[in-house]
Amino acid sequence: MRLLDLQAVDTAMAQLRHRRANLPEHAQLAKLEAEREKASAALVEAETRVSDLEIAQRQAEADLEPVRERRRRNQERVDNGSVPDAKALSSLVDEIQHLGRRISDLEDAELELMEQLEAAVADRDKLAAQDAELAERTKEVAARRDDLVAGLDSQLADQSTRRDAVTVDLPQPLLASYDKLRAGHGGVGAAELRNRRCTGCQLEVNAADLRTFAAAAEDDVLRCEECGRILIRTINSGL
């Protein structure tokens, strides 16, 4: 009868371990972590693009500055009449026009870079917000998972204490046999014989075996002929 108590404890512990290993939060966390990994990679790419565009914009501005300065100097020479030679003046005016077109092209390129940078910054900020949201959700699910695990661990500890109390006086050979059977029979090493049926395999015991069980001494260790589990006789066995 102590074996039935032990089996009840072991079944409860197995159920608790199964619940612990299969908490929905485990799957939720795995999904969130996969999403975060993907989001983080996208965020890094977005930050890199912003950085590259910022460098390109600074370079574009740096390219513009000497061209503007040269046109300004040339325009000053034209305006102050410091170029008396008509041919040289005409050449200078042509260069000023060329520099104007060059400046216009460079400004258009810089404007395009600025627009790309603005879009890249918006994209980066959106991805950063998504990453932060995923991080918060992950934190919440992890906290819920940890609370549930802690509760199940506490119940397991209680059941382990009960198991120690149940097994303290059990003969070691019997306990070893039970543990071996339990390991090979889905966690059930001992089963009640109830209404002439083994509750381990759920098969009805034949009449010859029932007579043998009925005639056995109270301390005999009986085994189900079908599944091999230890059979425990009770007042509900139907013997």
Side-chain angles (χ1 to χ4, degrees), residues 3 6 14 19 21-23 36 43 46 79 84 91 93 115 130 161-162 165 177 222 224:
L3 280 183
L6 178 58
R19 285 177 57 194
N22 293 277
L23 288 172
R36 280 202 68 193
L43 179 58
D79 292 342
S91 177
V93 170
E115 291 173 349
Q130 290 176 353
T161 299
R162 288 187 58 193
S177 178
L222 307 180
C224 174

Side-chain angles (χ1 to χ4, degrees), residues 51-66:
S51 178
D52 290 344
L53 286 170
E54 287 174 341
I55 293 172
Q57 184 185 1
R58 289 194 295 269
Q59 184 60 52
E61 184 62 30
D63 291 342
L64 260 170
E65 188 56 32

